[in-house]
Amino acid sequence: MRKLRADVVVVGGGSTGVGVVRDAAMRGYKAILVDRADLAQGTSGRFHGLLHSGGRYVVSDPESATECAEENAIVTRIQPHAVETTGGLFVVTPHDDPAFGDQFLAGALKAKVPAREIDPALALAREPRLNPGILRAFEVEDGTVDGWQLVWSAAASAQAYGAEILSYHEVVAVERTGEAVTGVRCLNRKTGEDVTIECGFVLNCAGPWAGRIANAAGCQPVDVVPGRGIMVAMAHRLVNTVVNRCIYPADGDILVPIHTVCVIGTTDHPTTDPDHLEIPREEVQQMLDAGEELIPGFRDARAVHAWAGARPLIKDKHVAATDTRHMSRGMSVIDHRERDGLSGLLTIGGGKLTTYRLMAEHIVNAMEEQLGVSHPCRTADEICPGNVPGKTYLITDRLHEREEDRLSDQIICECELMSRSMFIDLLEKFPQASFDDLRRQLRVGMGPCQGGFCSSRIAGLTFEEGAVDIERATGLLRLFLENRWIGLWPILSGDQVRQAALDDWIIQGILDVDHLPHPAKEEI
Amino acid sequence: MLEVDSYEHNVLARASLDHCVKCTICETQCPVMRVTPLFSGPKYVGPQAERYRHGESVDHSLDYCSSCGTCTLVCPQGVKIAELNSVARAAMKRDHMPLRDQIISRTTLLGTVMTPVAPIANAVLKFKPARIVAEKTVGIHRDAAMPTAQLTTFTSWFKRHTPSTTPTRGKIIFFHGCAGKYFEVDTAVKAVEVLEHIGYEVVVPKQGCCGMPLQSNGIFDAARKSVRTLAGQLQAGPAGVPIVSTAASCAGMIRHEAREIMGVTDDALIEAGSRTYDISEFLLGLADKGELPLDDLKRIDTEVCYHAPCQLKGQGMGTPAVQLLQLIPGVSVVESGATCCGIAGTYGLKKEKFDVGQAVGKPLFDKVKEVNPELAVCDTETCRWQIRNATGAQVVHPIAFIHEAYGLGKATEPKAGSV
Ligand SMILES: Cc1cc2nc3c(=O)[nH]c(=O)nc-3n(C[C@H](O)[C@H](O)[C@H](O)COP(=O)(O)OP(=O)(O)OC[C@H]3O[C@@H](n4cnc5c(N)ncnc54)[C@H](O)[C@@H]3O)c2cc1C
């Protein structure tokens, strides 16, 4: 049993949690963040990748729109490496009401979201694959954001201010003496060790799982209604600008070019268990149809992967629980002292990845209010480690890097252009990582071949580097392939079937991975 | 179709990258990758790198691709690999075009400048110090194969000549290509004589450059203009009759490259392309129909190495020259089995790629020397220059053998005005 002590424990290592631990650490608190798995493998790693300009909400939720516009600029400034400033378009397709465009423009003006109508011909010249029948087009400042890069660089910033980040630490209980929180009890899932952290404050940032943490503290049930949404990534970018349908927010109305892929999404269905989010085939078809509206021929392009995430929406009494899209996305902070008579616990819900920094500011302010102290929030002022001021991500970055080191380094993941040294360097930092943990930071296995070629290479490298024995290497490889498969089978058709067949010949036919010696228990 | 000089607009080629399953077959066949690490290979610069291209070009090493097209040819999934590279190169060169690439891409210009002063031009081209200057200033390697300039152009010969027979088969259009007009006059003349011999009335409409050298050097705007003009000129000839060519790569430009690489889809081009034939392909077609007088073919006892140029293979017609030559009694044809001679249009002329081009061609050069060090056969001009330069063998177009077999001359002896 390990014992730690902190001023604040932050539960959940998604965008909200790392934003909170960074803010708390910057205000001088001794803070520890725990996540039951790796950072950003929850919603913050299963979202759409849009750094909202606010345009999406100018009509439905103007307050959120304004916040998005402001936070977009801040995130782009403090974490440029995670952001690509693609720009965005709102287009009125032949099936949409052109009059909505007027509402859109008026809303944008009011919400202070920069937007400007342009000639549809100009939009087509910029994005030649767009539906040539578009009736109107508006330019906005949408960008795209890599949730993993964003989370890791915010975590690095927190660590630089003395925070501790404990991944694979699952909170099993929130300790209290009567009316006050005294700490949390965690299970280290890699080692099986119990870890208790004594603290005066717990900030519950467990996203769609936040209700469970509140339960663990013995509070009245917090009604989190996870809104499940699916997204489908296409093998290459069909557009280089974010393309939104200019309609009242609906399913499949946004196409996001992020890294080497473009992602169509999303859907919204209330669900109960955020641990098991299905990717129904009908929804995949619905997304491909939606893509077809924006880009004729979309269905003929190659889909490579699908995933689902759950919006951590906290129930709002003003709307029915079945209509999660139209619940306020505005964040809500629940003060459990007022609600349940328990001091030292706050829960946050709602919000968006784009506004993660603002959410953190709110909850840390609420904590200081309860503590009766006040420090200024400085998270918007300081650039996060690993970022060069003004150097936003470019799609060409990796190609450029490989052009430089092509004669001295080896390429391990050919689709995502990950070099051998990139992999070895990260493995050295995280020798216990699973291949998916490494993937999220390196993008290994995320391209068209979905790990068919690189997965066995990284298994070999991991073994060769002495990080694992042969059984664990095999176990990790199998786990990685199983996880890839979850997002593969729902979209399998056309080119991707041929890929899957070839991958199977390699993985099963040549390597016989299913019958290699591997550990009895499942790898973590 | 939108026509902008950037890969984004090359919808077809770009969309084909989705078919790549990374099988790597293209890399096992790439002649450049085999000889130098400087080129990252067709799979890498093609379907892989294409996913990263937007805005400024960052992968300048893609210029080591020789555009031989072998990758597209062997891809079992239908990825337009070479086309992707050509388009990416064009995007790259928009900003970084060396003067050299502009000069050697303008074949017509080079030809007109050289013809009136042929002996001088040839002497200069063979003169080392001058070539060293050329290498230093414009980047054409001092040892690279250069065309031999001719005193007469094909056009002036054609105007002056009188057909040996009275036509029995109707009209046919002859498309000579720039090299046929200025440098490889002999080949063009022999082709016309063969066609006339078997009864065609040969028509030669005025014709400019197909734009291939411009295209392979990434100068798309000018290349499109050239090929469009050419399509119009060919159409100005008699309607619907076959267009037959000894310039295999130029024919390929009209038949598919202009469309697939540069997105030119004009009706004129499609129409002209649909009745354009390589001369061996055309004659073999006649033979298959029993319309080529085979009994007149006189015996030639020889063994020669035949090399099928990349540009010809890319047209998916097989190797008609091999079958055609074997119709001649006594001729034994040994196929080179080599992928590429290394010249790839103008690639092997460039100083930074000369060694690569020589290494690419080495298996071919060895084969030529082994089979018949005196004489070899190949369908395209630049490849012939390259093989000639590297082996010392005389290299002729397949038509030269048919010409000799019909008793019209000797394959190894030039027919008109060469120096
Ligand atoms: C389909 C979809 C698309 C979206 N698209 C966008 C978009 O394009 N742009 C945008 O800005 N926003 C988008 N969002 C919203 C955004 O993704 C979320 O608001 C944001 O990621 C939430 O982050 P979080 O940190 O609150 O939750 P999460 O990222 O889910 O983090 C919660 C963490 O808590 C951990 N946890 C759970 N239980 C425990 C425990 N017992 N002990 C320890 N840790 C625990 C989990 O492992 C998890 O890592 C989208 C959301 C969805 C669902």
Side-chain angles (χ1 to χ4, degrees):
Chain A
M1 159 104 99
R2 194 174 166 214
K3 282 200 163 160
L4 300 167
R5 183 188 288 271
D7 298 329
V8 194
V9 169
V10 178
V11 183
S15 56
T16 312
V18 294
V20 171
V21 76
R22 172 171 183 250
D23 197 337
M26 285 176 88
R27 295 194 207 195
Y29 295 95
K30 165 87 189 99
I32 297 179
L33 178 144
V34 291
D35 195 292
R36 61 174 189 164
D38 195 27
L39 295 189
Q41 52 65 56
T43 323
S44 307
R46 301 165 200 267
F47 76 127
H48 203 166
L50 172 60
L51 187 66
H52 283 279
S53 62
R56 183 77 282 169
Y57 306 118
V58 292
V59 175
S60 62
D61 184 356
E63 245 169 69
S64 287
T66 308
E67 285 173 359
C68 282
E70 290 166 1
E71 290 301 312
N72 179 312
I74 294 171
V75 171
T76 306
R77 192 173 66 237
I78 65 172
Q79 297 176 288
H81 185 54
V83 174
E84 184 179 351
T85 53
T86 56
L89 288 170
F90 276 75
V91 297
V92 177
T93 78
H95 298 113
D96 307 329
D97 174 15
F100 186 80
D102 299 332
Q103 246 177 299
F104 173 82
L105 270 183
L109 190 68
K110 231 159 91 208
K112 298 200 176 64
V113 170
R116 158 177 101 88
E117 179 150 21
I118 59 169
D119 187 339
L122 248 151
L124 283 166
R126 178 162 158 194
E127 290 301 343
R129 287 186 186 74
L130 263 183
N131 187 337
I134 56 168
L135 303 166
R136 298 180 77 175
F138 306 89
E139 209 173 46
V140 294
E141 292 177 2
D142 285 334
T144 67
V145 55
D146 180 323
W148 299 304
Q149 299 296 333
L150 174 128
V151 163
W152 281 101
S153 80
S157 168
Q159 282 169 316
Y161 278 93
E164 237 182 295
I165 308 282
L166 302 176
S167 57
Y168 289 98
H169 280 62
E170 178 166 11
V171 171
V172 289
V174 177
E175 315 272 13
R176 56 191 283 180
T177 41
E179 314 279 87
V181 164
T182 57
V184 294
R185 201 144 45 77
C186 304
L187 171 71
N188 179 333
R189 292 174 63 220
K190 290 267 184 191
T191 61
E193 192 183 22
D194 282 327
V195 178
T196 59
I197 311 173
E198 243 176 70
C199 65
F201 235 101
V202 171
L203 299 178
N204 175 11
C205 307
W209 296 271
R212 296 191 191 166
I213 302 298
N215 278 351
C219 298
Q220 300 283 321
V222 170
D223 253 342
V224 179
V225 187
R228 178 184 59 75
I230 72 149
M231 286 134 291
V232 178
M234 310 306 282
H236 74 273
R237 287 194 188 200
L238 299 165
V239 290
N240 285 301
T241 308
V242 173
V243 177
N244 303 264
R245 228 169 129 168
C246 191
I247 48 175
Y248 199 78
D251 286 352
D253 54 359
I254 315 179
L255 182 58
V256 180
I258 179 158
H259 289 290
T260 48
V261 296
C262 64
V263 183
I264 183 80
T266 167
T267 55
D268 198 341
H269 296 273
T271 179
T272 46
D273 182 3
D275 285 328
H276 296 98
L277 301 175
E278 42 163 7
I279 307 171
R281 281 177 189 267
E282 340 46 281
E283 281 179 45
V284 170
Q285 294 309 315
Q286 184 194 355
M287 287 306 98
L288 297 178
D289 285 338
E292 194 73 35
E293 296 284 337
L294 295 170
I295 309 286
F298 194 87
R299 279 190 155 280
D300 300 327
R302 173 175 177 177
V304 281
H305 203 86
W307 61 94
R311 296 171 182 83
L313 298 187
I314 289 189
K315 205 163 140 186
D316 181 324
K317 305 203 173 57
H318 303 303
V319 280
T322 47
D323 184 14
T324 51
R325 183 184 305 285
H326 300 125
M327 242 176 228
S328 165
R329 307 222 172 196
M331 44 203 86
S332 35
V333 175
I334 297 175
D335 184 338
H336 294 277
R337 188 172 59 176
E338 291 158 18
R339 187 173 179 272
D340 305 289
L342 178 63
S343 68
L345 179 66
L346 298 172
T347 293
I348 189 158
K352 273 167 285 295
L353 188 126
T354 304
T355 53
Y356 88 100
R357 193 211 59 85
L358 185 63
M359 294 172 73
E361 182 175 342
H362 284 328
I363 193 172
V364 179
N365 284 348
M367 174 181 85
E368 290 208 314
E369 210 170 282
Q370 214 182 86
L371 292 172
V373 290
S374 165
H375 299 86
C377 170
R378 295 189 296 112
T379 49
D381 308 332
E382 238 175 76
I383 192 162
C384 292
N387 288 276
V388 178
K391 167 89 187 68
T392 49
Y393 168 86
L394 295 175
I395 171 69
T396 47
D397 281 351
R398 281 211 176 165
L399 189 59
H400 201 172
E401 289 158 18
R402 296 297 80 75
E403 179 75 4
E404 299 303 313
D405 62 20
R406 75 202 156 98
L407 299 176
S408 58
D409 209 340
Q410 218 177 356
I411 292 177
I412 301 300
C413 170
E414 299 172 55
C415 304
E416 293 299 314
L417 299 184
M418 179 199 72
S419 69
R420 183 187 182 108
S421 51
M422 285 166 76
F423 184 79
I424 303 285
D425 290 351
L426 196 68
L427 182 66
E428 230 164 61
K429 264 173 82 182
F430 300 97
Q432 294 194 323
S434 74
F435 292 164
D436 275 304
D437 294 346
L438 298 168
R439 168 183 65 80
R440 283 185 287 269
Q441 293 192 61
L442 296 169
R443 296 189 61 78
V444 54
M446 291 179 71
C449 93
Q450 290 288 298
F453 284 71
C454 57
S455 59
S456 46
R457 293 179 186 153
I458 60 173
L461 280 178
T462 310
F463 172 72
E464 212 175 273
E465 289 297 304
V468 295
D469 60 19
I470 220 149
E471 281 79 15
R472 179 156 161 86
T474 311
L476 288 175
L477 172 59
R478 288 177 47 150
L479 177 65
F480 183 70
L481 292 167
E482 279 162 24
N483 286 343
R484 286 285 87 194
W485 189 248
I486 295 172
L488 254 174
W489 73 266
I491 52 94
L492 272 191
S493 82
D495 287 321
Q496 204 60 27
V497 176
R498 290 196 271 184
Q499 184 71 61
L502 179 59
D503 291 356
D504 195 57
W505 295 336
I506 297 172
I507 301 291
Q508 304 302 347
I510 299 175
L511 302 174
D512 198 15
V513 166
D514 273 355
H515 300 106
L516 293 176
H518 59 89
K521 67 170 181 53
E522 206 191 307
E523 289 295 328
I524 292 172
Chain B
M1 181 188 277
L2 265 161
E3 194 181 283
V4 182
D5 264 6
S6 74
Y7 57 88
E8 288 100 329
H9 303 102
N10 196 299
V11 180
L12 265 181
R14 188 164 160 92
S16 80
L17 80 86
D18 274 357
H19 304 326
C20 177
V21 293
K22 310 218 112 62
C23 69
T24 313
I25 287 173
C26 57
E27 299 203 336
T28 67
Q29 298 304 308
C30 172
V32 179
M33 200 185 177
R34 204 175 287 167
V35 299
T36 176
L38 293 173
F39 181 49
S40 302
K43 178 176 71 169
Y44 181 89
V45 304
Q48 275 172 202
E50 185 60 24
R51 297 174 67 233
Y52 294 82
R53 294 202 184 104
H54 173 55
E56 202 191 328
S57 296
V58 293
D59 53 334
H60 295 184
S61 67
L62 77 88
D63 202 29
Y64 276 101
C65 165
S66 75
S67 309
C68 72
T70 305
C71 43
T72 299
L73 188 66
V74 300
C75 176
Q77 308 292 343
V79 183
K80 300 274 178 208
I81 310 168
E83 290 78 354
L84 282 170
N85 293 350
S86 297
V87 177
R89 172 189 281 127
M92 173 179 98
K93 293 232 176 148
R94 240 177 338 199
D95 313 321
H96 312 271
M97 171 68 67
L99 172 67
R100 185 263 329 271
D101 290 2
Q102 307 206 29
I103 292 185
I104 56 184
S105 306
R106 302 197 191 239
T107 329
T108 342
L109 206 69
L110 200 66
T112 9
V113 172
M114 282 166 73
T115 310
V117 287
I120 305 170
N122 286 334
V124 170
L125 288 178
K126 282 182 192 138
F127 182 54
K128 262 280 150 68
R131 293 296 302 273
I132 294 172
V133 171
E135 175 178 307
K136 292 258 185 309
T137 52
V138 290
I140 298 172
H141 194 281
R142 65 187 74 165
D143 295 328
M146 285 300 276
T148 318
Q150 313 285 312
L151 267 179
T152 337
T153 66
F154 166 75
T155 337
S156 56
W157 171 85
F158 187 75
K159 273 192 208 126
R160 280 188 275 111
H161 94 296
T162 14
S164 56
T165 54
T166 351
T168 51
R169 299 200 198 218
K171 292 185 171 153
I172 196 164
I173 293 173
F174 180 63
F175 167 40
H176 48 64
C178 297
K181 182 170 175 187
Y182 299 110
F183 308 116
E184 294 278 319
V185 177
D186 177 50
T187 303
V189 167
K190 285 176 173 168
V192 170
E193 290 186 346
V194 166
L195 291 170
E196 287 176 345
H197 177 78
I198 62 174
Y200 282 103
E201 180 188 337
V202 178
V203 182
V204 182
K206 179 176 161 21
Q207 48 196 270
C209 179
C210 67
M212 164 74 78
L214 290 162
Q215 184 260 98
S216 75
N217 280 287
I219 313 170
F220 279 13
D221 265 347
R224 286 194 189 101
K225 220 173 134 214
S226 282
V227 77
R228 286 200 166 110
T229 309
L230 175 62
Q233 289 170 330
L234 292 173
Q235 277 198 323
V241 309
I243 301 169
V244 174
S245 180
T246 45
S249 44
C250 312
M253 180 73 173
I254 300 185
R255 291 168 95 170
H256 72 125
E257 292 199 357
R259 180 167 38 89
E260 287 173 10
I261 297 178
M262 304 191 300
V264 182
T265 53
D266 306 13
D267 292 345
L269 178 86
I270 306 287
E271 196 280 326
S274 69
R275 54 185 167 105
T276 299
Y277 302 89
D278 171 72
I279 194 156
S280 302
E281 180 191 23
F282 181 75
L283 294 179
L284 189 65
L286 291 182
D288 287 345
K289 284 185 278 179
E291 292 172 13
L292 189 70
L294 297 180
D295 297 343
D296 301 354
L297 291 168
K298 297 197 186 67
R299 187 173 189 86
I300 308 173
D301 280 306
T302 188
E303 186 181 53
V304 281
C305 179
Y306 166 78
H307 176 64
C310 308
Q311 302 282 2
L312 184 108
K313 286 185 277 199
Q315 294 172 49
M317 63 169 94
T319 48
V322 175
Q323 285 157 279
L324 184 69
L325 290 178
Q326 276 166 342
L327 296 174
I328 305 171
V331 173
S332 151
V333 182
V334 179
E335 288 191 64
S336 73
T339 317
C340 177
C341 71
I343 190 79
T346 54
Y347 180 88
L349 299 177
K350 300 171 185 176
K351 70 171 172 210
E352 74 280 13
K353 289 164 191 136
F354 179 79
D355 289 339
V356 177
Q358 292 297 311
V360 165
K362 179 138 194 318
L364 169 61
F365 307 151
D366 291 347
K367 187 79 182 177
V368 164
K369 287 182 202 157
E370 174 200 318
V371 175
N372 183 342
E374 307 289 316
L375 185 61
V377 185
C378 179
D379 315 73
T380 54
E381 309 79 12
T382 51
C383 308
R384 288 200 290 275
W385 302 338
Q386 170 88 339
I387 302 169
R388 186 184 300 160
N389 196 50
T391 64
Q394 189 174 355
V395 191
V396 299
H397 188 280
I399 198 68
F401 273 89
I402 300 294
H403 188 262
E404 175 172 336
Y406 277 131
L408 301 169
K410 203 136 169 52
T412 50
E413 281 167 21
K415 194 64 195 175
S418 74
V419 187

